[in-house]
Amino acid sequence: MSVVDPVMPDLLESEVEADLRSTVRTLLEKRASPAEVLRRTESDEPVDRALWAALIEVGITGLAVPEKLGGAGASWREAAVVGEELGRALAPVPYLGHSMAVAALLAVGDEDLLPELAAGERTATLAVSFSTMPGSASVGTTSVADARTADVLLVPAGTGASAELIAVEASTATITPVISLDMTRPLADIDIDASGGGRVVARGQAACAAVDHALRIGAMLLAAEQVGIADRVLEMTVAYLKERRQFGRIIGSYQVLKHRCADLWVALTQARAVARYAAVCAATDADDLSVAIALAKAHCGPAALRTAEEGVQLHGGIGFTWEHPAHLYLKRAAADAIALGSADRHKATLATLVDIPGPG
């Protein structure tokens, strides 16, 4: 693949994006406090359906959907802003899976289901294993994200010319919860009943391309979420270091701790830049999208995981307690690091895309 000459787009946040971020953050601060998120992980309802309904009223489910199909007529760039804020709060809502389903339907031009999904009248998810990375030949239906609250499952079936993308009513499928490291995003195995019917929304190459596009959009949104995780953890950590005293001194006054936080800030800033570039490429369907997605996933996952790990350590003893949210961020960061392709797999993809020869 040839490398596209970079023409750097405007990565600065627009006024509309800033307003959207403020609205979503304010809502999450009221409805998804760390204590509430922790409490929900210990309940039988890990997904906050009331919060999801409140976010639907804000319009997050139809941001990238054209107005003629009931959406907001915005783009994936605005959707990434929401993803980042949901990551900051570890909000237990099915936004990622729903957005991937919307992306698949947009790719095939489906007009039957999209209006309902854009309006939030129904919730859907792309029924593929959460570890599947864009471009994978095999997707599977084990450990699927956001399946437990979905009304509709978009199920890929077959390969090549016989491939199909089928919209299946979730009520006709067997959805079995599986244990996940990240308690704020439940996973489930899906067993589709062949006699349960379903509507074929795409066949052949169109179906394969739609699934691949949905995985790319999911990876882009996941990178934004990872930026949100790192941002919130660093914010909490710096606040703690500025108030915690030992031996009569604010511990944040020690140079070694300042340097560790500064290193995390640099990594976060770099992650935000590549994640935003991926969002812009997704919004404009740019030729550089594949490179931008691989770069974002290769960088944002390790940045979020490192920040979460350091956040636990820099909080000292309290960071290891169940009541403190540090462990929730660490678990989300660790789970996200292998979701939709690990950093190493995306680095290998990136090397191929930019024609960097491998060893040997």
Side-chain angles (χ1 to χ4, degrees):
M1 175 180 177
S2 61
V3 179
V4 178
D5 290 337
V7 178
M8 185 55 65
D10 184 5
L11 301 183
L12 296 178
E13 195 166 82
S14 69
E15 185 175 343
V16 171
E17 290 166 349
D19 289 343
L20 176 63
R21 182 185 300 282
S22 176
T23 299
V24 175
R25 183 175 297 188
T26 300
L27 174 61
L28 294 174
E29 287 175 347
K30 292 178 180 177
R31 304 285 292 270
S33 66
E36 173 59 24
V37 173
L38 178 61
R39 185 196 67 77
R40 187 160 293 280
T41 65
E42 299 171 312
S43 73
D44 295 331
E45 286 288 340
V47 175
D48 191 337
R49 296 174 186 268
L51 175 61
W52 179 236
L55 288 164
I56 289 172
E57 290 185 6
V58 174
I60 69 168
T61 49
L63 285 171
V65 179
E67 293 182 9
K68 66 178 182 180
L69 295 176
S75 73
W76 290 116
R77 182 167 168 152
E78 288 78 8
V81 171
V82 174
E84 187 177 331
E85 290 304 312
L86 296 178
R88 273 181 58 91
L90 298 181
V93 294
Y95 179 71
L96 182 60
H98 186 82
S99 298
M100 292 169 67
V102 167
L105 293 174
L106 281 172
V108 299
D110 181 88
E111 297 185 359
D112 293 331
L113 191 53
L114 265 176
E116 292 180 330
L117 300 189
E121 295 171 355
R122 308 187 81 193
T123 300
T125 195
L126 185 69
V128 302
S129 300
F130 201 30
S131 61
T132 307
M133 69 178 293
S136 296
S138 177
V139 293
T141 55
T142 57
S143 297
V144 176
D146 300 328
R148 293 174 60 178
T149 50
D151 302 304
V152 180
L153 306 171
L154 278 187
V155 185
T159 59
S162 62
E164 292 181 336
L165 182 61
I166 308 171
V168 177
E169 293 295 322
S171 59
T172 66
T174 300
I175 300 175
T176 306
V178 298
I179 297 176
S180 171
L181 172 66
D182 175 16
M183 298 177 293
T184 61
R185 177 147 50 208
L187 305 179
D189 293 343
I190 297 177
D191 185 16
I192 306 296
D193 184 352
S195 62
R199 179 174 65 88
V200 177
V201 298
R203 302 179 189 274
Q205 182 55 37
C208 296
V211 173
D212 193 50
H213 179 69
L215 290 170
R216 292 182 197 282
I217 295 300
M220 180 276 293
L221 292 174
L222 195 62
E225 176 181 304
Q226 289 164 328
V227 169
I229 292 169
D231 186 54
R232 180 59 182 142
V233 171
L234 182 58
E235 181 181 88
M236 288 192 306
T237 302
V238 170
Y240 177 77
L241 296 179
K242 291 170 69 175
E243 68 177 20
R244 172 66 172 163
R245 287 181 173 272
Q246 280 189 335
F247 308 112
R249 288 182 60 178
I250 298 290
I251 61 175
S253 65
Y254 291 101
Q255 192 173 49
V256 65
L257 298 186
K258 291 180 181 178
H259 284 187
R260 289 175 67 175
C261 289
D263 289 343
L264 294 177
W265 183 86
V266 170
L268 169 60
T269 302
Q270 294 169 335
R272 177 174 286 116
V274 295
R276 190 161 295 176
Y277 179 62
V280 171
C281 287
T284 58
D285 198 22
D287 292 339
D288 211 26
L289 177 60
S290 296
V291 171
I293 295 295
L295 180 63
K297 277 294 288 163
H299 192 88
C300 295
L305 184 57
R306 177 190 171 192
T307 305
E309 290 172 341
E310 294 247 21
V312 171
Q313 292 181 12
L314 291 169
H315 273 85
I318 194 173
F320 290 84
T321 62
W322 182 259
E323 291 76 14
H324 197 279
H327 70 94
L328 294 176
Y329 283 94
L330 178 57
K331 291 168 182 171
R332 173 68 76 90
D336 280 2
I338 57 174
L340 302 178
S342 66
D344 285 345
R345 295 178 68 190
H346 280 280
K347 286 177 182 175
T349 298
L350 182 61
T352 301
L353 290 172
V354 298
D355 297 329
I356 296 177

